[in-house]
Amino acid sequence: MKKEEAHPLLKGGRRRSSYTHGFSASQIQSLTAICQTIIPPLADTGGDLPNHVQPFYSSNGPHEVAELIVKRGVPKAVFIVSLVLKFLSSRLGTLVLCGYICLDKNWPFVRTFSELSLKKRESVLQNWSRQTLLLPLRIAFLLLKIITLFIFFSWTDENSSNPAWEAIGYHVEEILEKQENEPPLKKGVIETMKNEDDYSLKESLLQKGISLIEDPNEKNTYKIKCDVVIVGSGSGGGVAAAVLAKSGQKVVIIEKGNYFTPQDYSGLEGPSLSELYESGGILSTEDGKIMIQAGSTVGGGSSINWSACIRTPDYVLQEWSKQNKLPLFTTDEYKSAMDDVCERLGVTENCVEEGFQNKVLRKGVEKLGLKIEPVPRNSSADHYCGSCCYGCKRGDKKGTESTWLVDAVNEGAVILSGCKAEKFVLVKNRCIGVIAISENQNIKKKLYIEARVTVSACGSLLTPPLLISSGLKNKNIGSNLHLHPVSFVWGYFPEPSSEIKGKCFEGGILTSLHKVQQNQESDNFETVIEVSALGPASFASLIPWESRQEINERMTKYSRTAVLFALTRDQGLGEVKRQGHVKYRLSKIDRENIKTGLRRALRILIAAGAEEVGTFRSDGQRIKCRGIKDEELDEFLDNVGAVGGPRSRSEHWTIYCSAHQMGSCRMGENEEDGAVDENGECWEAKGLFVCDGSVLPSALGVNPMVTIQSTAYCISKRLAASLKKGKLDS
């Protein structure tokens, strides 16, 4: 059978004809020398550029690294990198940053960084990683290491392949069965990125039955009228769109991401992260401590999450109802909403066959005599797909783009993809719509979408900045951000000596979990242990780099390395007041919970039969397990903890990750306690509702999709009833 052809944006291959990073030729020369130092050889060929590495340089790899650094890096970190590369381009600058190691007995006595031997360059980078006084050098090292390894392991040629993958035992699953199904949202979606110009967009809108007016006083704007406009199409926006469209409202959804179908997905890590994730999957807190992942496509996070469908824990519902004084969460209304959500998502708790990593987790937990729990999923019981985090190529996983949004479109809703909200329109403390622009540079006209009701559903990272830029002042907007921070551990299982077969990237991503409980009789827990879905580029970016040879060893063992993480129900708080600017601080109790979780996860890996285990601490903390004595293991685990981030003054540091963001526009009993009321309506602007994870009162402690959708279901059901009664028209 013929191999399916992926969407051009997800296909990979070199498409860039020119670069805009702004680095000089001498800076690129220094950057190339750094890349050569960081990138593992993957094969001992005796040459400077092994066959697995050569294509990276022949394909302008260093320029690709520079481009991504400038495009995705935190501005302050980008400035530091640019300055460091400039220093390394001169002899004096190299002497300042590298010290005596660049001195030579021959003229001109001082060598530039690119003139140093590979061993000396490696020593310089190792020193920067351990730097505790000149932290900018550590920041430069971190950004260069992350982007270099990410590009190296994710780039593909025109055939969507990478020669490095063979050396590490990795491959992208091919779906040979060509599907000719019509896109499920075809009759309701307008892909503005495909429109040729303003007139083309106008015709597309009229064809979808959208009422459009060209105001002679606003020549640069198309005015659209509808009942409800929703910003965002993920778990919150998708549910709201379906419920409100079914109630008879004319609904328009705007989504800044593009629309893809199962036939479009490639399973390629690089282009998939670039197109389906916020900031291309490379977004961090301002201090670089936490890497954040969030969806940015039609379907939002539900299109790229790991399928987990876990109901809101009872003790969390009790807390939100009593402590936060939000009775909604202990009502039959909310319980019924969870039932309806799970039914629409086709949730099943059965799993016919688990993948390698989940088998490791299950075996280790059971060997320790602890409890392992199945993870309900919005896919079939035999769904064996390890690349759903890049979009489900089989179309088995039921995100909002194949469920709720289909329901909405069938009721006449229209989705504008590639369209970004600029601000909400407020008149006398009432919201009357939204101003939006297409991401298509050929479309010059703005869209003024006037509506009876406006819903912000663009997630915990984007809803607060949009509300603030629209003029809202409530102190809770953008505050109280929870991230469910996670820290990783790994275990290596050589195939010949392990009973557990398979590779780390095969099988359902998340099918089992373990709750770390102080009291086994209690339902309460603060930390869960789950498996991770790290493609080779993400794994290489996050795993410690100690030396070129060490990263070579780690990557050649990649396919048989199980990665677990400890996720805590965080009490620490962050804020996001401007788009892309996230601040966050772990609390002391969060660190303790993560430490407890990491130690439990390491014991699980050892019990499952790992030959070697380790953490993601910067110094490569690890231990061989074969024949290990109890006292040796205890001593090792005593030194495992939740260390600081790269800007800490400690010699050892790590990178945390977050895939769940909550609480940045939390519900509250009054405007002192929350940004919105129990109905999701903003205290400051009538007719403006928030319907996404940002309204959750606190961290949840488990994967939040069902909770977000159930909360959105309740908000939109109440909103539909109010609209029907005409309560929101005055």
Side-chain angles (χ1 to χ4, degrees):
M1 287 189 179
K2 184 181 177 182
K3 179 182 174 182
E4 280 199 11
E5 191 74 12
H7 191 284
L9 291 175
L10 302 176
K11 197 175 175 182
R14 296 297 180 205
R15 297 186 298 273
R16 197 173 282 118
S17 57
S18 62
Y19 294 93
T20 60
H21 51 67
F23 288 174
S24 67
S26 59
Q27 285 176 304
I28 291 296
Q29 185 179 20
S30 298
L31 177 57
T32 300
I34 289 174
C35 291
Q36 290 171 348
T37 311
I38 290 174
I39 291 172
L42 296 179
D44 186 11
T45 62
D48 290 334
L49 291 178
N51 294 335
H52 298 101
V53 178
Q54 169 104 41
F56 171 80
Y57 297 100
S58 60
S59 301
N60 291 322
H63 282 282
E64 294 289 330
V65 171
E67 197 79 4
L68 195 58
I69 285 173
V70 171
K71 184 178 182 181
R72 301 299 188 193
V74 175
K76 290 180 181 178
V78 174
F79 173 76
I80 291 171
V81 167
S82 178
L83 195 61
V84 165
L85 293 177
K86 188 173 291 187
F87 266 67
L88 295 180
S89 302
S90 70
R91 302 187 191 284
L92 180 58
T94 302
L95 180 61
V96 170
L97 296 186
C98 304
Y100 71 88
I101 202 170
C102 64
L103 298 178
D104 191 86
K105 62 182 179 180
N106 299 317
W107 176 262
F109 307 121
V110 178
R111 295 188 179 275
T112 63
F113 183 81
S114 60
E115 294 171 343
L116 296 177
S117 68
L118 187 61
K119 187 174 181 180
K120 287 185 176 182
R121 279 183 265 148
E122 187 175 75
S123 180
V124 169
L125 296 185
Q126 289 167 340
N127 182 55
W128 289 1
S129 175
R130 294 190 295 265
Q131 188 63 243
T132 58
L133 294 177
L134 296 175
L135 288 182
L137 290 179
R138 181 190 285 180
I139 297 301
F141 162 78
L142 175 63
L143 186 54
L144 287 163
K145 172 252 183 183
I146 286 176
I147 302 299
T148 296
L149 291 174
F150 182 84
I151 290 289
F152 177 71
F153 283 106
S154 68
W155 78 269
T156 61
D157 59 22
E158 62 278 2
N159 297 316
S160 298
S161 64
N162 181 329
W165 293 346
E166 181 182 357
I168 64 174
Y170 176 72
H171 65 268
V172 175
E173 182 187 25
E174 293 184 4
I175 305 294
L176 298 176
E177 194 173 321
K178 185 72 175 177
Q179 298 180 21
E180 300 294 344
N181 298 336
E182 182 177 273
L185 300 178
K186 181 179 179 180
K187 69 178 181 180
V189 69
I190 298 174
E191 299 179 74
T192 68
M193 296 302 291
K194 293 183 177 180
N195 288 114
E196 296 176 357
D197 51 30
D198 292 330
Y199 179 78
S200 172
L201 174 60
K202 177 183 176 181
E203 289 298 302
S204 296
L205 290 166
L206 293 173
Q207 287 173 10
K208 299 297 183 185
I210 295 292
S211 173
L212 183 146
I213 301 171
E214 291 188 70
D215 190 338
N217 298 320
E218 294 288 346
K219 294 184 179 180
N220 195 37
T221 303
Y222 286 144
K223 188 175 181 180
I224 293 171
K225 284 196 172 185
C226 60
D227 295 315
V228 180
V229 59
I230 300 173
V231 182
S233 63
S235 284
V239 171
V243 171
L244 291 166
K246 282 184 177 180
S247 72
Q249 308 301 323
K250 182 61 180 179
V251 176
V252 172
I253 305 117
I254 60 175
E255 166 59 56
K256 69 183 180 67
N258 291 314
Y259 174 50
F260 300 104
T261 68
Q263 295 96 311
D264 294 327
Y265 295 130
S266 65
L268 295 172
E269 184 179 12
S272 297
L273 287 174
S274 179
E275 292 298 326
L276 305 177
Y277 285 72
E278 184 64 31
S279 298
I282 302 176
L283 173 65
S284 76
T285 52
E286 289 194 339
D287 61 3
K289 183 187 297 184
I290 303 178
M291 296 296 294
I292 301 170
Q293 292 195 324
S296 183
T297 181
V298 173
S302 73
S303 296
I304 45 85
N305 67 15
W306 301 354
S307 305
C309 294
I310 303 172
R311 292 177 181 244
T312 319
D314 286 340
Y315 77 94
V316 174
L317 293 174
Q318 291 294 329
E319 177 187 307
W320 289 351
S321 178
K322 295 176 181 177
Q323 293 183 23
N324 296 93
K325 298 179 180 178
L326 297 167
L328 164 68
F329 292 103
T330 50
T331 61
D332 290 338
E333 177 187 3
Y334 185 81
K335 292 176 183 176
S336 176
M338 285 198 288
D339 291 338
D340 290 344
V341 163
C342 289
E343 181 179 357
R344 185 63 188 96
L345 297 181
V347 175
T348 176
E349 292 193 9
N350 299 321
C351 178
V352 173
E353 181 183 3
E354 291 192 299
F356 166 69
Q357 295 196 114
N358 284 280
K359 287 177 182 176
V360 166
L361 176 61
R362 178 174 294 277
K363 181 179 179 181
V365 170
E366 291 177 343
K367 282 269 189 179
L368 293 173
L370 300 171
K371 184 179 180 182
I372 189 80
E373 297 184 25
V375 175
R377 298 183 295 164
N378 57 335
S379 60
S380 60
D382 61 353
H383 187 51
Y384 193 79
C385 173
S387 62
C388 277
C389 51
Y390 311 132
C392 183
K393 294 196 288 184
R394 290 177 172 82
D396 192 337
K397 186 178 76 171
K398 297 177 177 64
T400 64
E401 80 284 359
S402 61
T403 53
W404 299 105
L405 290 174
V406 174
D407 297 343
V409 164
N410 287 339
E411 296 292 339
V414 174
I415 303 166
L416 300 174
S417 68
C419 192
K420 183 178 180 181
E422 278 194 329
K423 67 174 183 177
F424 296 118
V425 181
L426 305 180
V427 177
K428 295 181 180 180
N429 297 324
R430 182 174 185 82
C431 184
I432 59 172
V434 64
I435 302 292
I437 57 170
S438 172
E439 301 277 52
N440 186 340
Q441 299 300 312
N442 294 323
I443 296 177
K444 308 300 181 184
K445 286 188 180 288
K446 294 186 176 183
L447 297 176
Y448 170 25
I449 307 173
E450 185 178 341
R452 296 166 65 195
V453 164
T454 303
V455 177
S456 184
C458 36
S460 292
L461 300 179
L462 296 178
T463 280
L466 183 57
L467 294 178
I468 291 170
S469 66
S470 301
L472 274 65
K473 305 291 185 183
N474 185 289
K475 68 178 183 179
N476 293 289
I477 298 174
S479 301
N480 312 303
L481 175 66
H482 294 274
L483 294 179
H484 276 177
V486 308
S487 189
F488 302 98
V489 296
W490 57 267
Y492 174 55
F493 296 79
E495 196 150 22
S497 60
S498 175
E499 298 174 1
I500 305 174
K501 305 304 178 185
K503 298 183 184 296
C504 65
F505 50 86
E506 296 173 340
I509 295 175
L510 182 57
T511 55
S512 296
L513 65 77
H514 168 64
K515 297 173 182 174
V516 181
Q517 297 167 295
Q518 298 297 326
N519 180 1
Q520 295 298 317
E521 302 301 319
S522 171
D523 291 332
N524 295 21
F525 58 93
E526 296 300 328
T527 310
V528 296
I529 309 296
E530 297 179 353
V531 308
S532 183
L534 294 178
S538 299
F539 179 82
S541 299
L542 294 172
I543 201 77
W545 185 93
E546 300 170 75
S547 68
R548 189 167 178 255
Q549 193 55 46
E550 187 280 332
I551 194 69
N552 188 80
E553 181 183 347
R554 286 272 67 81
M555 292 310 300
T556 52
K557 295 177 177 179
Y558 163 75
S559 67
R560 291 288 297 173
T561 298
V563 177
L564 307 184
F565 62 77
L567 179 154
T568 187
R569 186 184 179 215
D570 51 322
Q571 297 185 19
L573 297 173
E575 69 172 41
V576 53
K577 304 283 187 178
R578 291 188 296 152
Q579 183 176 341
H581 294 265
V582 182
K583 298 177 181 179
Y584 185 84
R585 182 181 292 273
L586 281 170
S587 72
K588 185 177 180 180
I589 193 166
D590 294 336
R591 291 181 185 277
E592 284 298 312
N593 287 331
I594 290 174
K595 179 179 74 175
T596 301
L598 290 176
R599 294 178 180 182
R600 175 69 61 83
L602 286 164
R603 288 189 182 276
I604 289 169
L605 289 168
I606 294 169
E611 180 180 273
E612 186 180 21
V613 299
T615 70
F616 278 50
R617 203 173 75 178
S618 60
D619 63 336
Q621 182 183 37
R622 59 186 180 272
I623 190 170
K624 297 282 187 180
C625 305
R626 190 166 296 172
I628 190 172
K629 297 178 181 178
D630 289 344
E631 54 269 26
E632 292 175 320
L633 176 58
D634 290 340
E635 182 181 355
F636 172 75
L637 293 178
D638 285 344
N639 289 313
V640 172
V643 296
R647 288 181 60 182
S648 67
R649 292 287 177 181
S650 171
E651 182 178 339
H652 302 143
W653 48 274
T654 193
I655 298 293
Y656 297 85
C657 288
S658 164
H660 310 149
Q661 301 87 41
M662 301 144 285
S664 54
C665 283
R666 70 182 181 190
M667 279 186 183
E669 182 189 23
N670 51 54
E671 56 188 312
E672 185 68 23
D673 294 335
V676 300
D677 64 17
E678 196 180 57
N679 296 317
E681 189 171 22
C682 292
W683 295 104
E684 303 167 80
K686 295 298 179 184
L688 177 56
F689 292 77
V690 178
C691 204
D692 55 34
S694 71
V695 303
L696 302 185
S698 69
L700 182 62
V702 294
N703 305 62
M705 180 169 65
V706 167
T707 299
I708 293 171
Q709 293 198 13
S710 300
T711 304
Y713 191 85
C714 292
I715 290 173
S716 49
K717 277 285 189 180
R718 291 180 175 188
L719 178 52
S722 295
L723 282 168
K724 192 171 184 179
K725 295 176 182 177
K727 291 183 178 180
L728 297 168
D729 293 326
S730 58

